[in-house]
Amino acid sequence: MRAFALSALLLCAGVQAKPLGAAPAPNTVAGVQGLLQIGEYDAAGRMLESLIRSQPSDPDANYEYGRYLLALPKPDYDRAIEHLENALKASPQNSNYNLWVARAYGIKIEHSNIVAAAFGPVWKVRRHFEAAVKLDPANTPARVDLFQYYLFAPGIAGGGKGKAMEQYREIAKNAPGGYLDFTTQAILALETGDWEGVDIAYQRMLQLKPEYEGQIRLQYATVMMNRGQYDKALRWLKAAQQSASDIDPPFKILAPDYVRNGYYERVRYELEHNVKVDVDGMSVTRRQLGTNEANTNPKYLECLRLIGGLYDRFGHREKAAQFFARVRQSEAARR
């Protein structure tokens, strides 16, 4: 329940590379997907805007545009919700349309100062996650999202460990030994404090998805930093330096099997902003930590420096500057 704040409701999916062949027709959803596959994100956005102008009620165009708006470096939550709901109105029995409406509201809640202010959207998140699973029981990303909702949401919002475990068992049945199976195992182990289970799950995730190595190693290192396990965090960050895999690739939420880990997202937010998130019922507070023994520990600072270096290496200049500034502030406080 304590991890309900910020990210427990937000999780995401998308597109796979195709072999070379005939190019998709321009100004179509297939054309947009082709541009996304080759990393032409701005061109994909322009094509989507053109499609929406010419076909404002087309559900597929609205669906892709809503997802695109969520995947932007600075997401446009309200417009994403508008377009995803347009898609859902046209096709209410579509599992993925329900899933992404839930995700869009989840992002909006994640960025609310007080979750109580978004109490209505909380119920929409739950209802659409449940609808996505009911409409397509084989939709494993939707089950992972619903699992996390039940695991992290307070009882007043429909959360509950028993309901979460029902989804956990179904995920294991649908995708045994797969990446999403071990992702779910990692999330449960993090929430229950099974640190041996966390380690096993992350090792298996690395084996199954080496193309996600940077992201996976950063996740694990951040969680270990939150626990004060700086030596282990340093090892994983140094290994990430040897990888060619971006730790925060553009439009990563459009990967078909990518699911955001709610527990990790909370500790990531705390790390980046030097705060502690507290949950009380349906409200959330963020306490600024200031300078203390933990965040001036030399190994902790070295972790921050390595993360900043990783962001800088892959061109995420703004995020890199944020971490380097944290290091400078903490080092100044130690003197």
Side-chain angles (χ1 to χ4, degrees):
M1 294 195 334
R2 56 186 163 70
F4 172 69
L6 304 173
S7 318
L9 308 178
L10 174 65
L11 321 135
C12 305
V15 290
Q16 290 179 323
K18 294 180 181 177
L20 292 175
N27 294 318
T28 62
V29 169
V32 169
Q33 292 170 340
L35 289 170
L36 290 171
Q37 289 166 16
I38 61 174
E40 293 290 341
Y41 305 118
D42 290 342
R46 289 192 296 271
M47 189 179 290
L48 278 165
E49 288 170 359
S50 175
L51 277 171
I52 290 296
R53 283 194 299 269
S54 62
Q55 305 173 52
S57 61
D58 181 78
D60 288 338
N62 275 280
Y63 171 69
E64 292 297 346
Y65 195 37
R67 295 189 334 130
Y68 178 87
L69 292 168
L70 285 181
L72 290 170
K74 294 183 179 179
D76 190 334
Y77 313 122
D78 290 333
R79 288 178 68 213
I81 288 170
E82 176 188 350
H83 287 288
L84 290 165
E85 287 194 324
N86 286 344
L88 186 61
K89 285 173 189 173
S91 185
Q93 300 305 304
N94 187 300
S95 175
N96 277 327
Y97 290 2
N98 276 277
L99 172 61
W100 279 84
V101 166
R103 289 173 167 174
Y105 276 111
I107 295 176
K108 191 170 183 178
I109 292 169
E110 178 185 1
H111 289 83
S112 299
N113 287 329
I114 301 294
V115 171
F119 192 80
V122 168
W123 293 106
K124 289 186 179 182
V125 171
R126 175 189 170 189
R127 182 170 74 248
H128 289 298
F129 277 152
E130 289 176 338
V133 170
K134 183 177 180 180
L135 289 165
D136 182 4
N139 189 338
T140 303
R143 283 201 183 273
V144 177
D145 287 7
L146 184 58
F147 159 75
Q148 292 200 76
Y149 183 91
Y150 287 150
L151 185 66
F152 295 132
I156 192 173
K161 180 78 176 293
K163 290 188 287 188
M165 293 309 296
E166 288 177 17
Q167 297 304 317
Y168 181 86
R169 288 188 287 271
E170 290 300 318
I171 292 162
K173 274 197 245 177
N174 284 353
Y179 177 72
L180 290 180
D181 185 13
F182 281 102
T183 298
T184 309
Q185 290 182 38
I187 292 166
L188 181 63
L190 285 165
E191 179 62 9
T192 58
D194 174 11
W195 300 107
E196 182 179 355
V198 171
D199 189 72
I200 292 169
Y202 271 95
Q203 295 285 1
R204 289 292 291 128
M205 289 159 65
L206 276 177
Q207 293 168 358
L208 290 164
K209 286 288 181 181
E211 64 270 32
Y212 293 170
E213 181 179 359
Q215 301 169 66
I216 293 168
R217 289 194 180 281
L218 178 63
Q219 266 197 30
Y220 190 93
T222 302
V223 171
M224 291 300 104
M225 289 173 69
N226 184 259
R227 293 190 66 225
Q229 299 292 320
Y230 304 130
D231 288 332
K232 184 173 281 190
L234 284 168
R235 288 197 297 273
W236 279 67
L237 289 170
K238 288 175 181 177
Q241 287 182 313
Q242 308 304 313
S243 168
S245 169
D246 193 343
I247 61 172
D248 191 17
F251 287 77
K252 64 184 177 183
I253 72 171
L254 297 183
D257 55 2
Y258 186 77
V259 174
R260 291 183 70 181
N261 177 327
Y263 186 101
Y264 158 70
E265 291 297 334
R266 176 180 63 81
V267 299
R268 175 198 59 78
Y269 182 93
E270 292 179 338
L271 171 68
E272 291 182 358
H273 297 85
N274 194 32
V275 298
K276 177 65 178 175
V277 174
D278 298 304
V279 182
D280 180 15
M282 288 295 293
S283 67
V284 176
T285 57
R286 297 162 175 82
R287 292 185 289 110
Q288 195 70 37
L289 293 180
T291 302
N292 56 48
E293 184 177 349
N295 63 31
T296 57
N297 183 299
K299 291 182 179 179
Y300 176 86
L301 296 182
E302 181 60 19
C303 287
L304 292 182
R305 192 176 288 107
L306 285 172
I307 293 172
L310 283 165
Y311 276 118
D312 188 62
R313 174 188 168 193
F314 289 105
H316 310 297
R317 309 297 184 211
E318 186 176 337
K319 189 62 70 69
Q322 178 184 355
F323 278 92
F324 291 143
R326 285 277 310 283
V327 173
R328 289 193 298 272
Q329 291 165 2
S330 296
E331 286 180 334
R334 291 177 62 208
R335 291 197 287 267

